[in-house]
PDB file of all heavy atoms in Angstrom:
ATOM      1  N   THR A   1     114.206 -30.068-122.104  1.00 97.00           N
ATOM      2  CA  THR A   1     115.465 -29.744-122.814  1.00 97.00           C
ATOM      3  C   THR A   1     115.254 -28.898-124.077  1.00 97.00           C
ATOM      4  O   THR A   1     114.404 -29.364-124.947  1.00 97.00           O
ATOM      5  CB  THR A   1     116.243 -31.065-123.259  1.00 97.00           C
ATOM      6  OG1 THR A   1     116.359 -31.865-122.028  1.00 97.00           O
ATOM      7  CG2 THR A   1     117.614 -30.746-123.863  1.00 97.00           C
ATOM      8  N   ALA A   2     115.996 -27.799-124.220  1.00 95.00           N
ATOM      9  CA  ALA A   2     115.768 -26.996-125.365  1.00 95.00           C
ATOM     10  C   ALA A   2     117.048 -27.294-126.252  1.00 95.00           C
ATOM     11  O   ALA A   2     118.141 -27.367-125.807  1.00 95.00           O
ATOM     12  CB  ALA A   2     115.863 -25.536-124.903  1.00 95.00           C
ATOM     13  N   TYR A   3     116.679 -27.581-127.498  1.00 97.00           N
ATOM     14  CA  TYR A   3     117.727 -27.797-128.528  1.00 97.00           C
ATOM     15  C   TYR A   3     117.873 -26.504-129.292  1.00 97.00           C
ATOM     16  O   TYR A   3     116.911 -25.926-129.878  1.00 97.00           O
ATOM     17  CB  TYR A   3     117.378 -29.003-129.363  1.00 97.00           C
ATOM     18  CG  TYR A   3     117.392 -30.232-128.559  1.00 97.00           C
ATOM     19  CD1 TYR A   3     116.372 -30.761-127.946  1.00 97.00           C
ATOM     20  CD2 TYR A   3     118.597 -31.003-128.501  1.00 97.00           C
ATOM     21  CE1 TYR A   3     116.363 -31.986-127.209  1.00 97.00           C
ATOM     22  CE2 TYR A   3     118.727 -32.191-127.734  1.00 97.00           C
ATOM     23  CZ  TYR A   3     117.624 -32.568-127.069  1.00 97.00           C
ATOM     24  OH  TYR A   3     117.682 -33.730-126.266  1.00 97.00           O
ATOM     25  N   LEU A   4     119.090 -26.050-129.370  1.00 94.00           N
ATOM     26  CA  LEU A   4     119.428 -24.749-129.954  1.00 94.00           C
ATOM     27  C   LEU A   4     120.042 -24.850-131.383  1.00 94.00           C
ATOM     28  O   LEU A   4     120.495 -25.830-131.846  1.00 94.00           O
ATOM     29  CB  LEU A   4     120.461 -23.985-129.049  1.00 94.00           C
ATOM     30  CG  LEU A   4     120.052 -23.898-127.520  1.00 94.00           C
ATOM     31  CD1 LEU A   4     121.170 -23.218-126.755  1.00 94.00           C
ATOM     32  CD2 LEU A   4     118.688 -23.244-127.335  1.00 94.00           C
ATOM     33  N   SER A   5     119.944 -23.675-132.042  1.00 95.00           N
ATOM     34  CA  SER A   5     120.404 -23.533-133.371  1.00 95.00           C
ATOM     35  C   SER A   5     121.765 -23.792-133.613  1.00 95.00           C
ATOM     36  O   SER A   5     122.246 -24.091-134.701  1.00 95.00           O
ATOM     37  CB  SER A   5     119.917 -22.255-133.995  1.00 95.00           C
ATOM     38  OG  SER A   5     120.577 -21.147-133.279  1.00 95.00           O
ATOM     39  N   ASP A   6     122.607 -23.695-132.576  1.00 91.00           N
ATOM     40  CA  ASP A   6     124.127 -23.961-132.645  1.00 91.00           C
ATOM     41  C   ASP A   6     124.397 -25.350-132.476  1.00 91.00           C
ATOM     42  O   ASP A   6     125.609 -25.727-132.345  1.00 91.00           O
ATOM     43  CB  ASP A   6     124.872 -23.031-131.738  1.00 91.00           C
ATOM     44  CG  ASP A   6     124.647 -23.222-130.312  1.00 91.00           C
ATOM     45  OD1 ASP A   6     123.773 -24.127-129.970  1.00 91.00           O
ATOM     46  OD2 ASP A   6     125.222 -22.592-129.471  1.00 91.00           O
ATOM     47  N   GLY A   7     123.428 -26.227-132.287  1.00 93.00           N
ATOM     48  CA  GLY A   7     123.586 -27.705-132.063  1.00 93.00           C
ATOM     49  C   GLY A   7     123.687 -28.111-130.589  1.00 93.00           C
ATOM     50  O   GLY A   7     123.839 -29.207-130.287  1.00 93.00           O
ATOM     51  N   SER A   8     123.659 -27.151-129.726  1.00 91.00           N
ATOM     52  CA  SER A   8     123.774 -27.405-128.248  1.00 91.00           C
ATOM     53  C   SER A   8     122.401 -27.694-127.703  1.00 91.00           C
ATOM     54  O   SER A   8     121.338 -27.461-128.292  1.00 91.00           O
ATOM     55  CB  SER A   8     124.482 -26.323-127.494  1.00 91.00           C
ATOM     56  OG  SER A   8     123.753 -25.135-127.571  1.00 91.00           O
ATOM     57  N   ALA A   9     122.477 -28.367-126.532  1.00 94.00           N
ATOM     58  CA  ALA A   9     121.205 -28.578-125.732  1.00 94.00           C
ATOM     59  C   ALA A   9     121.308 -28.014-124.377  1.00 94.00           C
ATOM     60  O   ALA A   9     122.421 -27.831-123.801  1.00 94.00           O
ATOM     61  CB  ALA A   9     121.007 -30.122-125.632  1.00 94.00           C
ATOM     62  N   LEU A  10     120.159 -27.484-123.801  1.00 91.00           N
ATOM     63  CA  LEU A  10     120.231 -26.853-122.604  1.00 91.00           C
ATOM     64  C   LEU A  10     119.099 -27.314-121.755  1.00 91.00           C
ATOM     65  O   LEU A  10     117.853 -27.383-122.092  1.00 91.00           O
ATOM     66  CB  LEU A  10     120.020 -25.393-122.838  1.00 91.00           C
ATOM     67  CG  LEU A  10     120.062 -24.393-121.647  1.00 91.00           C
ATOM     68  CD1 LEU A  10     121.511 -24.423-120.907  1.00 91.00           C
ATOM     69  CD2 LEU A  10     119.881 -22.988-122.102  1.00 91.00           C
ATOM     70  N   ASP A  11     119.334 -27.684-120.457  1.00 93.00           N
ATOM     71  CA  ASP A  11     118.308 -28.134-119.505  1.00 93.00           C
ATOM     72  C   ASP A  11     117.588 -26.913-119.024  1.00 93.00           C
ATOM     73  O   ASP A  11     118.111 -26.085-118.379  1.00 93.00           O
ATOM     74  CB  ASP A  11     118.873 -28.938-118.368  1.00 93.00           C
ATOM     75  CG  ASP A  11     117.884 -29.394-117.372  1.00 93.00           C
ATOM     76  OD1 ASP A  11     116.688 -28.949-117.367  1.00 93.00           O
ATOM     77  OD2 ASP A  11     118.258 -30.275-116.506  1.00 93.00           O
ATOM     78  N   VAL A  12     116.299 -26.717-119.396  1.00 93.00           N
ATOM     79  CA  VAL A  12     115.547 -25.562-119.095  1.00 93.00           C
ATOM     80  C   VAL A  12     114.395 -26.002-118.143  1.00 93.00           C
ATOM     81  O   VAL A  12     113.387 -25.196-118.005  1.00 93.00           O
ATOM     82  CB  VAL A  12     115.022 -24.866-120.282  1.00 93.00           C
ATOM     83  CG1 VAL A  12     116.164 -24.338-121.115  1.00 93.00           C
ATOM     84  CG2 VAL A  12     114.175 -25.773-121.201  1.00 93.00           C
ATOM     85  N   THR A  13     114.509 -27.094-117.504  1.00 93.00           N
ATOM     86  CA  THR A  13     113.464 -27.616-116.474  1.00 93.00           C
ATOM     87  C   THR A  13     112.986 -26.568-115.580  1.00 93.00           C
ATOM     88  O   THR A  13     111.787 -26.373-115.352  1.00 93.00           O
ATOM     89  CB  THR A  13     113.925 -28.861-115.825  1.00 93.00           C
ATOM     90  OG1 THR A  13     114.398 -29.830-116.831  1.00 93.00           O
ATOM     91  CG2 THR A  13     112.858 -29.399-115.027  1.00 93.00           C
ATOM     92  N   LYS A  14     113.958 -25.803-114.943  1.00 87.00           N
ATOM     93  CA  LYS A  14     113.565 -24.896-113.897  1.00 87.00           C
ATOM     94  C   LYS A  14     113.685 -23.417-114.323  1.00 87.00           C
ATOM     95  O   LYS A  14     113.583 -22.483-113.644  1.00 87.00           O
ATOM     96  CB  LYS A  14     114.568 -25.097-112.682  1.00 87.00           C
ATOM     97  CG  LYS A  14     114.342 -26.417-112.057  1.00 87.00           C
ATOM     98  CD  LYS A  14     115.176 -26.573-110.859  1.00 87.00           C
ATOM     99  CE  LYS A  14     114.995 -28.000-110.267  1.00 87.00           C
ATOM    100  NZ  LYS A  14     115.899 -28.204-109.118  1.00 87.00           N
ATOM    101  N   ASP A  15     113.860 -23.286-115.675  1.00 85.00           N
ATOM    102  CA  ASP A  15     113.895 -21.864-116.243  1.00 85.00           C
ATOM    103  C   ASP A  15     112.514 -21.162-116.090  1.00 85.00           C
ATOM    104  O   ASP A  15     111.505 -21.683-116.341  1.00 85.00           O
ATOM    105  CB  ASP A  15     114.316 -21.920-117.729  1.00 85.00           C
ATOM    106  CG  ASP A  15     114.720 -20.598-118.229  1.00 85.00           C
ATOM    107  OD1 ASP A  15     113.904 -19.716-118.318  1.00 85.00           O
ATOM    108  OD2 ASP A  15     115.925 -20.429-118.637  1.00 85.00           O
ATOM    109  N   GLU A  16     112.641 -19.876-115.687  1.00 80.00           N
ATOM    110  CA  GLU A  16     111.421 -19.057-115.488  1.00 80.00           C
ATOM    111  C   GLU A  16     110.589 -18.903-116.791  1.00 80.00           C
ATOM    112  O   GLU A  16     109.497 -18.605-116.790  1.00 80.00           O
ATOM    113  CB  GLU A  16     111.774 -17.777-114.819  1.00 80.00           C
ATOM    114  CG  GLU A  16     112.153 -17.841-113.455  1.00 80.00           C
ATOM    115  CD  GLU A  16     112.355 -16.440-112.843  1.00 80.00           C
ATOM    116  OE1 GLU A  16     112.658 -15.505-113.471  1.00 80.00           O
ATOM    117  OE2 GLU A  16     112.368 -16.409-111.608  1.00 80.00           O
ATOM    118  N   ALA A  17     111.323 -19.057-117.956  1.00 84.00           N
ATOM    119  CA  ALA A  17     110.619 -18.895-119.158  1.00 84.00           C
ATOM    120  C   ALA A  17     109.714 -20.123-119.549  1.00 84.00           C
ATOM    121  O   ALA A  17     108.889 -19.990-120.473  1.00 84.00           O
ATOM    122  CB  ALA A  17     111.692 -18.711-120.295  1.00 84.00           C
ATOM    123  N   ILE A  18     109.972 -21.165-118.894  1.00 89.00           N
ATOM    124  CA  ILE A  18     109.140 -22.366-119.088  1.00 89.00           C
ATOM    125  C   ILE A  18     107.939 -22.492-118.085  1.00 89.00           C
ATOM    126  O   ILE A  18     108.171 -22.265-116.975  1.00 89.00           O
ATOM    127  CB  ILE A  18     110.031 -23.648-118.924  1.00 89.00           C
ATOM    128  CG1 ILE A  18     111.241 -23.568-119.837  1.00 89.00           C
ATOM    129  CG2 ILE A  18     109.209 -24.974-119.102  1.00 89.00           C
ATOM    130  CD1 ILE A  18     110.855 -23.631-121.360  1.00 89.00           C
ATOM    131  N   SER A  19     106.877 -22.698-118.612  1.00 92.00           N
ATOM    132  CA  SER A  19     105.665 -22.919-117.737  1.00 92.00           C
ATOM    133  C   SER A  19     105.096 -24.324-117.932  1.00 92.00           C
ATOM    134  O   SER A  19     105.166 -24.908-119.054  1.00 92.00           O
ATOM    135  CB  SER A  19     104.570 -21.846-118.052  1.00 92.00           C
ATOM    136  OG  SER A  19     104.130 -22.028-119.332  1.00 92.00           O
ATOM    137  N   TRP A  20     104.717 -24.934-116.880  1.00 93.00           N
ATOM    138  CA  TRP A  20     104.292 -26.363-116.872  1.00 93.00           C
ATOM    139  C   TRP A  20     102.843 -26.419-116.647  1.00 93.00           C
ATOM    140  O   TRP A  20     102.305 -25.637-115.802  1.00 93.00           O
ATOM    141  CB  TRP A  20     105.027 -27.146-115.766  1.00 93.00           C
ATOM    142  CG  TRP A  20     106.537 -27.396-116.064  1.00 93.00           C
ATOM    143  CD1 TRP A  20     107.570 -26.491-115.675  1.00 93.00           C
ATOM    144  CD2 TRP A  20     107.143 -28.401-116.682  1.00 93.00           C
ATOM    145  NE1 TRP A  20     108.687 -26.963-116.093  1.00 93.00           N
ATOM    146  CE2 TRP A  20     108.518 -28.146-116.716  1.00 93.00           C
ATOM    147  CE3 TRP A  20     106.715 -29.694-117.291  1.00 93.00           C
ATOM    148  CZ2 TRP A  20     109.437 -29.019-117.272  1.00 93.00           C
ATOM    149  CZ3 TRP A  20     107.608 -30.426-117.862  1.00 93.00           C
ATOM    150  CH2 TRP A  20     108.958 -30.161-117.866  1.00 93.00           C
ATOM    151  N   SER A  21     102.149 -27.399-117.283  1.00 93.00           N
ATOM    152  CA  SER A  21     100.700 -27.541-117.007  1.00 93.00           C
ATOM    153  C   SER A  21     100.289 -28.992-117.288  1.00 93.00           C
ATOM    154  O   SER A  21     101.068 -29.659-117.931  1.00 93.00           O
ATOM    155  CB  SER A  21      99.919 -26.588-117.903  1.00 93.00           C
ATOM    156  OG  SER A  21     100.102 -26.856-119.287  1.00 93.00           O
ATOM    157  N   SER A  22      99.174 -29.264-116.783  1.00 91.00           N
ATOM    158  CA  SER A  22      98.667 -30.683-117.006  1.00 91.00           C
ATOM    159  C   SER A  22      97.326 -30.518-117.758  1.00 91.00           C
ATOM    160  O   SER A  22      96.528 -29.550-117.453  1.00 91.00           O
ATOM    161  CB  SER A  22      98.360 -31.361-115.649  1.00 91.00           C
ATOM    162  OG  SER A  22      97.742 -32.468-115.732  1.00 91.00           O
ATOM    163  N   ASP A  23      96.978 -31.460-118.618  1.00 93.00           N
ATOM    164  CA  ASP A  23      95.704 -31.337-119.358  1.00 93.00           C
ATOM    165  C   ASP A  23      94.624 -31.857-118.424  1.00 93.00           C
ATOM    166  O   ASP A  23      93.443 -31.719-118.816  1.00 93.00           O
ATOM    167  CB  ASP A  23      95.811 -32.124-120.726  1.00 93.00           C
ATOM    168  CG  ASP A  23      95.864 -33.636-120.474  1.00 93.00           C
ATOM    169  OD1 ASP A  23      96.118 -34.124-119.393  1.00 93.00           O
ATOM    170  OD2 ASP A  23      95.632 -34.288-121.555  1.00 93.00           O
ATOM    171  N   ASN A  24      94.952 -32.478-117.276  1.00 92.00           N
ATOM    172  CA  ASN A  24      93.918 -33.019-116.393  1.00 92.00           C
ATOM    173  C   ASN A  24      94.320 -32.812-114.936  1.00 92.00           C
ATOM    174  O   ASN A  24      94.887 -33.785-114.416  1.00 92.00           O
ATOM    175  CB  ASN A  24      93.600 -34.462-116.682  1.00 92.00           C
ATOM    176  CG  ASN A  24      92.320 -34.959-115.998  1.00 92.00           C
ATOM    177  OD1 ASN A  24      91.927 -34.356-115.064  1.00 92.00           O
ATOM    178  ND2 ASN A  24      91.840 -36.127-116.431  1.00 92.00           N
ATOM    179  N   SER A  25      94.142 -31.712-114.417  1.00 90.00           N
ATOM    180  CA  SER A  25      94.634 -31.402-113.026  1.00 90.00           C
ATOM    181  C   SER A  25      93.928 -32.275-111.904  1.00 90.00           C
ATOM    182  O   SER A  25      94.421 -32.284-110.767  1.00 90.00           O
ATOM    183  CB  SER A  25      94.497 -29.922-112.780  1.00 90.00           C
ATOM    184  OG  SER A  25      93.093 -29.551-112.800  1.00 90.00           O
ATOM    185  N   ALA A  26      92.823 -32.954-112.269  1.00 91.00           N
ATOM    186  CA  ALA A  26      92.206 -33.855-111.327  1.00 91.00           C
ATOM    187  C   ALA A  26      92.996 -35.096-111.182  1.00 91.00           C
ATOM    188  O   ALA A  26      92.838 -35.886-110.215  1.00 91.00           O
ATOM    189  CB  ALA A  26      90.834 -34.116-111.749  1.00 91.00           C
TER     190      ALA A  26
END
């Protein structure tokens, strides 16, 4: 969830601007 400067919140879970990673891929 991205919290914005106008006080709103936006679900960005699937947004292309977000990349996901794990610190231990094993």
Side-chain angles (χ1 to χ4, degrees):
T1 304
Y3 290 91
L4 308 178
S5 59
D6 65 359
S8 63
L10 184 62
D11 180 348
V12 294
T13 304
K14 295 181 181 180
D15 193 294
E16 289 183 340
I18 302 296
S19 62
W20 293 86
S21 64
S22 168
D23 71 344
N24 188 346
S25 59

